[in-house]
Amino acid sequence: MKFFVDTADVAAIRELNDLGMVDGVTTNPSLILKSGRDIIEVTREICAMVSGPVSAEVVATDARTMISEGLALAKIAPNIAIKVPLTWDGLTACKAFASEGRMVNVTLCFSAAQAILAAKAGASFVSPFVGRLDDNNHDGIQLIEDIRTIYDNYGFKTEILAASIRSVNHITDCARIGADVITAPPAVIKAMANHVLTDKGLEQFLKDWGKTGQKIN
Ligand code: G3P
């Protein structure tokens, strides 16, 4: 399973990248606002640091302007994945980019029907929002399962990029189902290492080792 980091916070990306835990990065207008940085400048910095796909999102709502914005974003670096919303205009722009062999991430996906359209439009990635579905009493993980079944039924090449990940359980559920990628905030990825029994076990080992009076080197 590939790990994308869902942030435009360069320091947080660098920390996880140094740990070898970054296969890509996803940004969106809210994360760019949160970074307080210029979209082109910060995206270029992230693309230089990470070798995998870096999603940068268009903000237009009509296909023609989405295409010109997407081409401007694609100029930033070869590892840009152009992010478009799952609307008919977004799907039209996706088809145009895909026909030129460009990486496209179709975002704001909330149903299996939408995910089928993204695959048929040639998307490289589809981003179903797990957490936001759960926020609205829908089952986000069930959507990932349904998309996996449907994509496997027809051999769709689009990768399932589970987004709006809120917990470590979201990540393990997506892995169990076979999502291709998760994108999560840095803190959620870091929390994956946490386990109370690991802490307790290490504490006991160190206490017992202390009693030996020995040194390894
Ligand atoms: O990539 C989409 C993601 O950033 C949305 O996450 O937590 O705002 O639902 P969230």
Side-chain angles (χ1 to χ4, degrees):
M1 170 189 259
K2 285 177 264 188
F3 284 5
F4 289 4
V5 190
D6 201 20
T7 186
D9 176 341
V10 173
I13 297 168
R14 184 172 293 109
E15 186 190 356
L16 279 169
N17 203 35
D18 292 349
L19 290 169
M21 290 300 161
V22 179
D23 303 304
V25 173
T26 55
T27 67
N28 62 43
S30 307
L31 293 172
I32 296 293
L33 174 66
K34 200 171 166 193
S35 75
R37 302 273 309 273
D38 169 79
I39 185 173
I40 304 295
E41 194 193 292
V42 72
T43 306
R44 182 173 290 117
E45 198 174 333
I46 294 170
C47 287
M49 192 196 324
V50 172
S51 56
V54 175
S55 290
E57 190 162 340
V58 301
V59 291
T61 54
D62 68 289
R64 201 168 56 76
T65 319
M66 282 186 198
I67 291 171
S68 66
E69 287 182 352
L71 294 178
L73 293 171
K75 280 203 188 94
I76 296 172
N79 54 332
I80 285 285
I82 304 164
K83 214 175 181 182
V84 297
L86 215 152
T87 60
W88 280 114
D89 282 274
L91 292 166
T92 305
C94 174
K95 214 165 174 51
F97 294 135
S99 66
E100 295 173 354
R102 298 181 187 280
M103 264 196 295
V104 192
N105 176 358
V106 177
T107 189
L108 291 167
C109 173
F110 293 97
S111 74
Q114 287 181 316
I116 295 170
L117 294 175
K120 291 179 75 65
S124 318
F125 303 100
V126 65
S127 292
F129 279 37
V130 174
R132 294 192 190 184
L133 282 163
D134 292 354
D135 294 349
N136 293 277
N137 302 327
H138 294 279
D139 185 339
I141 291 297
Q142 184 57 52
L143 175 60
I144 302 296
E145 192 145 5
D146 295 346
I147 297 173
R148 181 76 282 162
T149 303
I150 293 166
Y151 277 17
D152 292 351
N153 284 348
Y154 301 98
F156 285 135
K157 297 284 174 275
T158 300
E159 293 192 62
I160 302 172
L161 195 176
S164 182
I165 296 289
R166 303 288 174 69
S167 67
V168 171
N169 285 347
H170 274 167
I171 296 178
T172 46
D173 285 340
C174 288
R176 179 176 47 76
I177 290 164
D180 303 284
V181 191
I182 56 95
T183 189
V188 177
I189 294 175
K190 292 204 72 185
M192 292 180 75
N194 301 350
H195 198 293
V196 61
L197 293 179
T198 305
D199 301 342
K200 277 176 79 175
L202 185 56
E203 192 187 11
Q204 189 59 48
F205 281 164
L206 298 181
K207 214 171 7 179
D208 292 347
W209 178 251
K211 292 180 192 147
T212 68
Q214 299 178 35
K215 278 190 176 316
I216 290 178
N217 66 0

PDB file of all heavy atoms in Angstrom, residues 5-7 26-28 30-31 57 83 105 107-108 110 127-133 135 161-166 183-185, ligand 1:
ATOM      1  N   VAL A   5       1.110  11.724   1.881  1.00  0.00           N
ATOM      2  CA  VAL A   5       0.887  12.595   3.032  1.00  0.00           C
ATOM      3  C   VAL A   5      -0.052  13.705   2.601  1.00  0.00           C
ATOM      4  O   VAL A   5       0.160  14.352   1.572  1.00  0.00           O
ATOM      5  CB  VAL A   5       2.202  13.193   3.567  1.00  0.00           C
ATOM      6  CG1 VAL A   5       1.969  13.873   4.895  1.00  0.00           C
ATOM      7  CG2 VAL A   5       3.251  12.119   3.728  1.00  0.00           C
ATOM      8  N   ASP A   6      -1.086  13.910   3.389  1.00  0.00           N
ATOM      9  CA  ASP A   6      -2.148  14.863   3.044  1.00  0.00           C
ATOM     10  C   ASP A   6      -1.869  16.196   3.731  1.00  0.00           C
ATOM     11  O   ASP A   6      -2.437  16.526   4.782  1.00  0.00           O
ATOM     12  CB  ASP A   6      -3.486  14.290   3.516  1.00  0.00           C
ATOM     13  CG  ASP A   6      -4.688  14.899   2.799  1.00  0.00           C
ATOM     14  OD1 ASP A   6      -4.511  15.458   1.717  1.00  0.00           O
ATOM     15  OD2 ASP A   6      -5.799  14.794   3.359  1.00  0.00           O
ATOM     16  N   THR A   7      -0.959  16.971   3.164  1.00  0.00           N
ATOM     17  CA  THR A   7      -0.567  18.241   3.760  1.00  0.00           C
ATOM     18  C   THR A   7       0.292  19.043   2.796  1.00  0.00           C
ATOM     19  O   THR A   7       0.860  18.482   1.857  1.00  0.00           O
ATOM     20  CB  THR A   7       0.247  18.005   5.063  1.00  0.00           C
ATOM     21  OG1 THR A   7       0.507  19.258   5.692  1.00  0.00           O
ATOM     22  CG2 THR A   7       1.572  17.323   4.752  1.00  0.00           C
ATOM     23  N   THR A  26      -0.544  14.770  -1.206  1.00  0.00           N
ATOM     24  CA  THR A  26      -1.764  15.375  -1.744  1.00  0.00           C
ATOM     25  C   THR A  26      -1.978  16.723  -1.087  1.00  0.00           C
ATOM     26  O   THR A  26      -1.807  16.877   0.132  1.00  0.00           O
ATOM     27  CB  THR A  26      -3.008  14.493  -1.478  1.00  0.00           C
ATOM     28  OG1 THR A  26      -3.092  14.223  -0.080  1.00  0.00           O
ATOM     29  CG2 THR A  26      -2.941  13.191  -2.244  1.00  0.00           C
ATOM     30  N   THR A  27      -2.316  17.699  -1.935  1.00  0.00           N
ATOM     31  CA  THR A  27      -2.689  19.008  -1.398  1.00  0.00           C
ATOM     32  C   THR A  27      -4.074  19.337  -1.923  1.00  0.00           C
ATOM     33  O   THR A  27      -4.610  18.651  -2.796  1.00  0.00           O
ATOM     34  CB  THR A  27      -1.693  20.118  -1.842  1.00  0.00           C
ATOM     35  OG1 THR A  27      -1.821  20.292  -3.261  1.00  0.00           O
ATOM     36  CG2 THR A  27      -0.257  19.763  -1.478  1.00  0.00           C
ATOM     37  N   ASN A  28      -4.682  20.370  -1.344  1.00  0.00           N
ATOM     38  CA  ASN A  28      -5.953  20.904  -1.821  1.00  0.00           C
ATOM     39  C   ASN A  28      -6.030  22.364  -1.384  1.00  0.00           C
ATOM     40  O   ASN A  28      -5.172  22.800  -0.602  1.00  0.00           O
ATOM     41  CB  ASN A  28      -7.139  20.069  -1.290  1.00  0.00           C
ATOM     42  CG  ASN A  28      -7.243  20.098   0.222  1.00  0.00           C
ATOM     43  OD1 ASN A  28      -7.087  21.156   0.847  1.00  0.00           O
ATOM     44  ND2 ASN A  28      -7.499  18.956   0.832  1.00  0.00           N
ATOM     45  N   SER A  30      -7.702  23.977   0.760  1.00  0.00           N
ATOM     46  CA  SER A  30      -7.737  24.195   2.223  1.00  0.00           C
ATOM     47  C   SER A  30      -6.353  23.976   2.830  1.00  0.00           C
ATOM     48  O   SER A  30      -5.933  24.717   3.728  1.00  0.00           O
ATOM     49  CB  SER A  30      -8.745  23.232   2.857  1.00  0.00           C
ATOM     50  OG  SER A  30     -10.002  23.348   2.214  1.00  0.00           O
ATOM     51  N   LEU A  31      -5.612  22.994   2.321  1.00  0.00           N
ATOM     52  CA  LEU A  31      -4.268  22.713   2.856  1.00  0.00           C
ATOM     53  C   LEU A  31      -3.282  23.794   2.406  1.00  0.00           C
ATOM     54  O   LEU A  31      -2.358  24.139   3.159  1.00  0.00           O
ATOM     55  CB  LEU A  31      -3.814  21.326   2.417  1.00  0.00           C
ATOM     56  CG  LEU A  31      -4.614  20.151   3.002  1.00  0.00           C
ATOM     57  CD1 LEU A  31      -4.215  18.835   2.346  1.00  0.00           C
ATOM     58  CD2 LEU A  31      -4.434  20.072   4.523  1.00  0.00           C
ATOM     59  N   GLU A  57      -4.371  20.895  -6.870  1.00  0.00           N
ATOM     60  CA  GLU A  57      -5.768  20.978  -7.278  1.00  0.00           C
ATOM     61  C   GLU A  57      -6.122  22.246  -8.045  1.00  0.00           C
ATOM     62  O   GLU A  57      -5.732  23.355  -7.642  1.00  0.00           O
ATOM     63  CB  GLU A  57      -6.674  20.846  -6.049  1.00  0.00           C
ATOM     64  CG  GLU A  57      -8.152  20.681  -6.355  1.00  0.00           C
ATOM     65  CD  GLU A  57      -8.940  20.135  -5.167  1.00  0.00           C
ATOM     66  OE1 GLU A  57      -8.311  19.543  -4.251  1.00  0.00           O
ATOM     67  OE2 GLU A  57     -10.173  20.300  -5.157  1.00  0.00           O
ATOM     68  N   LYS A  83      -5.225  17.594  -9.884  1.00  0.00           N
ATOM     69  CA  LYS A  83      -6.398  17.199  -9.093  1.00  0.00           C
ATOM     70  C   LYS A  83      -7.613  17.972  -9.579  1.00  0.00           C
ATOM     71  O   LYS A  83      -7.577  19.203  -9.666  1.00  0.00           O
ATOM     72  CB  LYS A  83      -6.115  17.523  -7.615  1.00  0.00           C
ATOM     73  CG  LYS A  83      -6.708  16.568  -6.601  1.00  0.00           C
ATOM     74  CD  LYS A  83      -6.228  16.972  -5.195  1.00  0.00           C
ATOM     75  CE  LYS A  83      -6.782  16.026  -4.163  1.00  0.00           C
ATOM     76  NZ  LYS A  83      -6.388  16.414  -2.773  1.00  0.00           N
ATOM     77  N   ASN A 105      -5.787  13.127 -10.642  1.00  0.00           N
ATOM     78  CA  ASN A 105      -6.404  12.644  -9.410  1.00  0.00           C
ATOM     79  C   ASN A 105      -7.802  13.259  -9.330  1.00  0.00           C
ATOM     80  O   ASN A 105      -7.933  14.474  -9.207  1.00  0.00           O
ATOM     81  CB  ASN A 105      -5.554  13.066  -8.206  1.00  0.00           C
ATOM     82  CG  ASN A 105      -6.166  12.681  -6.874  1.00  0.00           C
ATOM     83  OD1 ASN A 105      -7.259  12.125  -6.802  1.00  0.00           O
ATOM     84  ND2 ASN A 105      -5.457  12.995  -5.795  1.00  0.00           N
ATOM     85  N   THR A 107     -10.956  14.068  -7.370  1.00  0.00           N
ATOM     86  CA  THR A 107     -11.189  14.172  -5.929  1.00  0.00           C
ATOM     87  C   THR A 107     -12.647  14.470  -5.591  1.00  0.00           C
ATOM     88  O   THR A 107     -13.476  14.637  -6.476  1.00  0.00           O
ATOM     89  CB  THR A 107     -10.278  15.259  -5.315  1.00  0.00           C
ATOM     90  OG1 THR A 107     -10.363  15.211  -3.893  1.00  0.00           O
ATOM     91  CG2 THR A 107     -10.662  16.654  -5.820  1.00  0.00           C
ATOM     92  N   LEU A 108     -12.943  14.521  -4.276  1.00  0.00           N
ATOM     93  CA  LEU A 108     -14.320  14.755  -3.804  1.00  0.00           C
ATOM     94  C   LEU A 108     -15.274  13.678  -4.306  1.00  0.00           C
ATOM     95  O   LEU A 108     -16.375  13.959  -4.766  1.00  0.00           O
ATOM     96  CB  LEU A 108     -14.789  16.157  -4.196  1.00  0.00           C
ATOM     97  CG  LEU A 108     -14.083  17.297  -3.453  1.00  0.00           C
ATOM     98  CD1 LEU A 108     -14.364  18.638  -4.123  1.00  0.00           C
ATOM     99  CD2 LEU A 108     -14.492  17.340  -1.990  1.00  0.00           C
ATOM    100  N   PHE A 110     -17.676  10.561  -3.453  1.00  0.00           N
ATOM    101  CA  PHE A 110     -18.468  10.119  -2.307  1.00  0.00           C
ATOM    102  C   PHE A 110     -19.392   8.933  -2.641  1.00  0.00           C
ATOM    103  O   PHE A 110     -20.205   8.530  -1.797  1.00  0.00           O
ATOM    104  CB  PHE A 110     -19.295  11.284  -1.755  1.00  0.00           C
ATOM    105  CG  PHE A 110     -18.438  12.367  -1.146  1.00  0.00           C
ATOM    106  CD1 PHE A 110     -18.083  13.502  -1.880  1.00  0.00           C
ATOM    107  CD2 PHE A 110     -17.945  12.235   0.145  1.00  0.00           C
ATOM    108  CE1 PHE A 110     -17.268  14.484  -1.329  1.00  0.00           C
ATOM    109  CE2 PHE A 110     -17.132  13.213   0.715  1.00  0.00           C
ATOM    110  CZ  PHE A 110     -16.789  14.336  -0.033  1.00  0.00           C
ATOM    111  N   SER A 127     -10.184   9.735  -5.501  1.00  0.00           N
ATOM    112  CA  SER A 127     -10.062  10.017  -4.057  1.00  0.00           C
ATOM    113  C   SER A 127     -11.408  10.009  -3.356  1.00  0.00           C
ATOM    114  O   SER A 127     -12.073  11.044  -3.264  1.00  0.00           O
ATOM    115  CB  SER A 127      -9.376  11.375  -3.857  1.00  0.00           C
ATOM    116  OG  SER A 127      -8.032  11.321  -4.264  1.00  0.00           O
ATOM    117  N   PRO A 128     -11.825   8.818  -2.867  1.00  0.00           N
ATOM    118  CA  PRO A 128     -13.041   8.765  -2.050  1.00  0.00           C
ATOM    119  C   PRO A 128     -12.729   9.311  -0.648  1.00  0.00           C
ATOM    120  O   PRO A 128     -11.681   8.993  -0.088  1.00  0.00           O
ATOM    121  CB  PRO A 128     -13.380   7.277  -1.991  1.00  0.00           C
ATOM    122  CG  PRO A 128     -12.399   6.594  -2.889  1.00  0.00           C
ATOM    123  CD  PRO A 128     -11.220   7.495  -3.066  1.00  0.00           C
ATOM    124  N   PHE A 129     -13.626  10.159  -0.107  1.00  0.00           N
ATOM    125  CA  PHE A 129     -13.407  10.810   1.195  1.00  0.00           C
ATOM    126  C   PHE A 129     -14.041  10.001   2.321  1.00  0.00           C
ATOM    127  O   PHE A 129     -15.225  10.173   2.664  1.00  0.00           O
ATOM    128  CB  PHE A 129     -13.987  12.231   1.172  1.00  0.00           C
ATOM    129  CG  PHE A 129     -13.115  13.275   0.521  1.00  0.00           C
ATOM    130  CD1 PHE A 129     -12.353  12.981  -0.600  1.00  0.00           C
ATOM    131  CD2 PHE A 129     -13.074  14.570   1.021  1.00  0.00           C
ATOM    132  CE1 PHE A 129     -11.548  13.947  -1.191  1.00  0.00           C
ATOM    133  CE2 PHE A 129     -12.281  15.543   0.429  1.00  0.00           C
ATOM    134  CZ  PHE A 129     -11.509  15.226  -0.667  1.00  0.00           C
ATOM    135  N   VAL A 130     -13.243   9.175   2.970  1.00  0.00           N
ATOM    136  CA  VAL A 130     -13.751   8.268   4.010  1.00  0.00           C
ATOM    137  C   VAL A 130     -14.284   9.037   5.215  1.00  0.00           C
ATOM    138  O   VAL A 130     -15.439   8.864   5.631  1.00  0.00           O
ATOM    139  CB  VAL A 130     -12.629   7.294   4.439  1.00  0.00           C
ATOM    140  CG1 VAL A 130     -13.070   6.428   5.612  1.00  0.00           C
ATOM    141  CG2 VAL A 130     -12.167   6.435   3.264  1.00  0.00           C
ATOM    142  N   GLY A 131     -13.490   9.931   5.767  1.00  0.00           N
ATOM    143  CA  GLY A 131     -13.854  10.634   7.001  1.00  0.00           C
ATOM    144  C   GLY A 131     -15.102  11.487   6.851  1.00  0.00           C
ATOM    145  O   GLY A 131     -15.972  11.499   7.732  1.00  0.00           O
ATOM    146  N   ARG A 132     -15.238  12.180   5.718  1.00  0.00           N
ATOM    147  CA  ARG A 132     -16.385  13.071   5.543  1.00  0.00           C
ATOM    148  C   ARG A 132     -17.683  12.278   5.397  1.00  0.00           C
ATOM    149  O   ARG A 132     -18.746  12.748   5.778  1.00  0.00           O
ATOM    150  CB  ARG A 132     -16.154  14.014   4.351  1.00  0.00           C
ATOM    151  CG  ARG A 132     -15.013  14.980   4.629  1.00  0.00           C
ATOM    152  CD  ARG A 132     -14.920  16.096   3.628  1.00  0.00           C
ATOM    153  NE  ARG A 132     -13.671  16.825   3.832  1.00  0.00           N
ATOM    154  CZ  ARG A 132     -13.338  17.923   3.151  1.00  0.00           C
ATOM    155  NH1 ARG A 132     -14.163  18.414   2.226  1.00  0.00           N
ATOM    156  NH2 ARG A 132     -12.168  18.522   3.372  1.00  0.00           N
ATOM    157  N   LEU A 133     -17.568  11.054   4.849  1.00  0.00           N
ATOM    158  CA  LEU A 133     -18.757  10.188   4.792  1.00  0.00           C
ATOM    159  C   LEU A 133     -19.142   9.759   6.204  1.00  0.00           C
ATOM    160  O   LEU A 133     -20.299   9.867   6.597  1.00  0.00           O
ATOM    161  CB  LEU A 133     -18.493   8.982   3.892  1.00  0.00           C
ATOM    162  CG  LEU A 133     -18.572   9.263   2.394  1.00  0.00           C
ATOM    163  CD1 LEU A 133     -17.890   8.152   1.595  1.00  0.00           C
ATOM    164  CD2 LEU A 133     -20.027   9.408   1.961  1.00  0.00           C
ATOM    165  N   ASP A 135     -18.494  11.351   8.859  1.00  0.00           N
ATOM    166  CA  ASP A 135     -19.024  12.547   9.539  1.00  0.00           C
ATOM    167  C   ASP A 135     -20.526  12.693   9.298  1.00  0.00           C
ATOM    168  O   ASP A 135     -21.232  13.299  10.098  1.00  0.00           O
ATOM    169  CB  ASP A 135     -18.356  13.825   9.000  1.00  0.00           C
ATOM    170  CG  ASP A 135     -16.871  13.909   9.329  1.00  0.00           C
ATOM    171  OD1 ASP A 135     -16.413  13.088  10.150  1.00  0.00           O
ATOM    172  OD2 ASP A 135     -16.183  14.753   8.719  1.00  0.00           O
ATOM    173  N   LEU A 161      -7.363   5.916  -4.098  1.00  0.00           N
ATOM    174  CA  LEU A 161      -6.562   6.737  -3.180  1.00  0.00           C
ATOM    175  C   LEU A 161      -7.504   7.172  -2.063  1.00  0.00           C
ATOM    176  O   LEU A 161      -8.186   8.185  -2.166  1.00  0.00           O
ATOM    177  CB  LEU A 161      -6.008   7.943  -3.955  1.00  0.00           C
ATOM    178  CG  LEU A 161      -4.885   8.774  -3.399  1.00  0.00           C
ATOM    179  CD1 LEU A 161      -4.466   9.843  -4.413  1.00  0.00           C
ATOM    180  CD2 LEU A 161      -5.169   9.418  -2.079  1.00  0.00           C
ATOM    181  N   ALA A 162      -7.556   6.385  -1.000  1.00  0.00           N
ATOM    182  CA  ALA A 162      -8.481   6.681   0.095  1.00  0.00           C
ATOM    183  C   ALA A 162      -8.047   7.969   0.805  1.00  0.00           C
ATOM    184  O   ALA A 162      -6.911   8.078   1.281  1.00  0.00           O
ATOM    185  CB  ALA A 162      -8.507   5.515   1.072  1.00  0.00           C
ATOM    186  N   ALA A 163      -8.954   8.961   0.838  1.00  0.00           N
ATOM    187  CA  ALA A 163      -8.633  10.288   1.383  1.00  0.00           C
ATOM    188  C   ALA A 163      -9.534  10.606   2.573  1.00  0.00           C
ATOM    189  O   ALA A 163     -10.400   9.807   2.915  1.00  0.00           O
ATOM    190  CB  ALA A 163      -8.819  11.337   0.293  1.00  0.00           C
ATOM    191  N   SER A 164      -9.300  11.792   3.167  1.00  0.00           N
ATOM    192  CA  SER A 164     -10.042  12.194   4.361  1.00  0.00           C
ATOM    193  C   SER A 164      -9.923  11.109   5.419  1.00  0.00           C
ATOM    194  O   SER A 164     -10.897  10.655   6.000  1.00  0.00           O
ATOM    195  CB  SER A 164     -11.498  12.471   3.998  1.00  0.00           C
ATOM    196  OG  SER A 164     -12.252  12.911   5.111  1.00  0.00           O
ATOM    197  N   ILE A 165      -8.672  10.656   5.608  1.00  0.00           N
ATOM    198  CA  ILE A 165      -8.354   9.596   6.567  1.00  0.00           C
ATOM    199  C   ILE A 165      -8.185  10.231   7.937  1.00  0.00           C
ATOM    200  O   ILE A 165      -7.409  11.170   8.091  1.00  0.00           O
ATOM    201  CB  ILE A 165      -7.082   8.850   6.130  1.00  0.00           C
ATOM    202  CG1 ILE A 165      -7.297   8.125   4.808  1.00  0.00           C
ATOM    203  CG2 ILE A 165      -6.598   7.891   7.226  1.00  0.00           C
ATOM    204  CD1 ILE A 165      -8.200   6.907   4.867  1.00  0.00           C
ATOM    205  N   ARG A 166      -8.912   9.747   8.923  1.00  0.00           N
ATOM    206  CA  ARG A 166      -8.923  10.385  10.244  1.00  0.00           C
ATOM    207  C   ARG A 166      -8.253   9.551  11.324  1.00  0.00           C
ATOM    208  O   ARG A 166      -7.986  10.065  12.418  1.00  0.00           O
ATOM    209  CB  ARG A 166     -10.378  10.651  10.667  1.00  0.00           C
ATOM    210  CG  ARG A 166     -11.172  11.506   9.694  1.00  0.00           C
ATOM    211  CD  ARG A 166     -10.732  12.960   9.702  1.00  0.00           C
ATOM    212  NE  ARG A 166     -11.404  13.760   8.673  1.00  0.00           N
ATOM    213  CZ  ARG A 166     -12.692  14.068   8.684  1.00  0.00           C
ATOM    214  NH1 ARG A 166     -13.448  13.676   9.691  1.00  0.00           N
ATOM    215  NH2 ARG A 166     -13.222  14.765   7.724  1.00  0.00           N
ATOM    216  N   THR A 183      -4.121   8.566   1.736  1.00  0.00           N
ATOM    217  CA  THR A 183      -3.489   9.849   2.006  1.00  0.00           C
ATOM    218  C   THR A 183      -3.995  10.318   3.354  1.00  0.00           C
ATOM    219  O   THR A 183      -5.208  10.374   3.579  1.00  0.00           O
ATOM    220  CB  THR A 183      -3.712  10.897   0.912  1.00  0.00           C
ATOM    221  OG1 THR A 183      -2.872  12.026   1.191  1.00  0.00           O
ATOM    222  CG2 THR A 183      -5.149  11.334   0.788  1.00  0.00           C
ATOM    223  N   ALA A 184      -3.058  10.597   4.233  1.00  0.00           N
ATOM    224  CA  ALA A 184      -3.432  10.911   5.611  1.00  0.00           C
ATOM    225  C   ALA A 184      -2.572  12.048   6.152  1.00  0.00           C
ATOM    226  O   ALA A 184      -1.449  12.261   5.694  1.00  0.00           O
ATOM    227  CB  ALA A 184      -3.255   9.674   6.485  1.00  0.00           C
ATOM    228  N   PRO A 185      -3.122  12.796   7.142  1.00  0.00           N
ATOM    229  CA  PRO A 185      -2.311  13.821   7.802  1.00  0.00           C
ATOM    230  C   PRO A 185      -1.077  13.184   8.445  1.00  0.00           C
ATOM    231  O   PRO A 185      -1.141  12.030   8.893  1.00  0.00           O
ATOM    232  CB  PRO A 185      -3.260  14.387   8.852  1.00  0.00           C
ATOM    233  CG  PRO A 185      -4.633  14.028   8.389  1.00  0.00           C
ATOM    234  CD  PRO A 185      -4.487  12.715   7.665  1.00  0.00           C
TER     235      PRO A 185
HETATM  236  O1  G3P B   1      -7.366  15.137   0.608  1.00  0.00           O
HETATM  237  C1  G3P B   1      -8.620  15.385   1.126  1.00  0.00           C
HETATM  238  C2  G3P B   1      -8.552  15.642   2.567  1.00  0.00           C
HETATM  239  O2  G3P B   1      -7.630  16.641   2.794  1.00  0.00           O
HETATM  240  C3  G3P B   1      -9.815  15.995   3.274  1.00  0.00           C
HETATM  241  O3  G3P B   1      -9.629  15.643   4.569  1.00  0.00           O
HETATM  242  O4  G3P B   1     -10.011  15.610   6.960  1.00  0.00           O
HETATM  243  O5  G3P B   1     -10.673  17.639   5.622  1.00  0.00           O
HETATM  244  O6  G3P B   1     -11.958  15.544   5.444  1.00  0.00           O
HETATM  245  P1  G3P B   1     -10.635  16.152   5.721  1.00  0.00           P
END
